[in-house]
Amino acid sequence: MAAEEMTPYGREAAEVADQVAAQYAEEAPRHQQSQIAAVERLLTRLPRGARALDAGCGTGRPTCEQLCAAGLDVTGIDVSEAMLAAARTNVPRARFLKVDLLGGQAAELGAFDAVVSFFCLMNLPEPVFVSALTRFASLTRPGGTVLVGVPERLGGTPVEGLSGTYHPPRCTRQDLLHRAGQAGLTVEELDVRPGTGIMGGPETHLFLHARPAARPARSG
């Protein structure tokens, strides 16, 4: 996928992720316990062979690795060449593609029994966040599951990340529930867990378990 085919958000994410990929691979495993637990919970609902998409898969660890170990048919997408190179080495059983979630290519990925995305939407402004959730809903089969993890942000507080200090948009649990509704998702559960950020600071992690709202039957 050429840079000109990516959305502005995809290009920005790719630039940052390519720069910090090596450091991320070293630091992230220390702070992914809540994410691992969320996937373990999801796996109790999915049979072997189910088709799963990890949107913003990063290095493939831990999520694609967990899903493959459970016998699922796994596709990971990311905008970072450096992250994807690591993922292909780490999880050779999965299929990895350079795809911008918000771009047109993502709409052609097909239908999945589960779509998961962890800590990839947290810096998006609300309308774009809703667009991402809408895309997840469109990629999920009827009766399937969308699982999204984000840190709860109250807004106005700077956060230290691998690429420096930044000011993320607000995303409270009430915001997440509202955005899910806007995106055509029916919320099954909002799991709130203690966690840590990439730099080790304490955070509250929100895991949204949802399904696509039932589509109206066609008449005639």
Side-chain angles (χ1 to χ4, degrees), residues 55-211:
C57 62
T59 64
R61 290 177 172 164
T63 300
C64 287
E65 197 168 53
Q66 278 182 279
L67 297 172
C68 281
L72 272 60
D73 178 359
V74 180
T75 299
I77 62 171
D78 207 288
V79 291
S80 166
E81 292 280 13
M83 292 288 193
L84 289 167
R88 292 183 181 112
T89 298
N90 292 336
V91 195
R93 288 175 54 192
R95 173 178 179 238
F96 293 103
L97 303 171
K98 186 176 182 181
V99 173
D100 185 344
L101 170 68
L102 298 167
Q105 276 187 311
E108 302 170 4
L109 289 168
F112 296 85
D113 300 294
V115 174
V116 303
S117 183
F118 296 114
F119 308 107
C120 298
L121 309 185
M122 55 195 185
N123 295 327
L124 297 176
E126 181 173 359
V128 186
F129 194 118
V130 173
S131 294
L133 293 180
T134 302
R135 175 58 54 80
F136 293 159
S138 72
L139 292 171
T140 306
R141 290 174 177 151
T145 299
V146 174
L147 171 56
V148 175
V150 294
E152 186 165 40
R153 303 295 195 203
L154 302 181
T157 303
V159 174
E160 186 181 0
L162 293 177
S163 60
T165 301
Y166 63 102
H167 289 77
R170 190 187 79 173
C171 184
T172 66
R173 58 199 77 181
Q174 292 79 16
D175 292 329
L176 186 55
L177 291 171
H178 177 65
R179 294 172 192 180
Q182 288 181 293
L185 290 169
T186 299
V187 176
E188 297 182 327
E189 181 184 4
L190 182 61
D191 187 15
V192 181
R193 293 178 177 265
T196 57
I198 191 68
M199 305 304 289
E203 292 183 337
T204 298
H205 291 168
L206 309 177
F207 294 97
L208 177 79
H209 297 255
R211 54 185 169 80

Side-chain angles (χ1 to χ4, degrees), residues 9-82:
Y9 299 100
R11 285 194 293 271
E12 181 179 358
E15 182 178 348
V16 172
D18 284 342
Q19 291 173 355
V20 304
Q23 189 180 1
Y24 174 85
E26 181 178 348
E27 294 292 338
R30 302 186 181 100
H31 312 294
Q32 295 175 320
Q33 292 82 0
S34 65
Q35 177 177 336
I36 291 169
V39 173
E40 287 176 347
R41 191 166 188 169
L42 171 67
L43 287 172
T44 65
R45 304 178 52 181
L46 295 173
R48 292 183 68 86
R51 194 163 186 250
L53 174 69
D54 184 2
C57 62
T59 64
R61 290 177 172 164
T63 300
C64 287
E65 197 168 53
Q66 278 182 279
L67 297 172
C68 281
L72 272 60
D73 178 359
V74 180
T75 299
I77 62 171
D78 207 288
V79 291
S80 166
E81 292 280 13

Side-chain angles (χ1 to χ4, degrees), residues 142 213-220:
R215 300 178 179 92
R218 294 183 179 179
S219 59

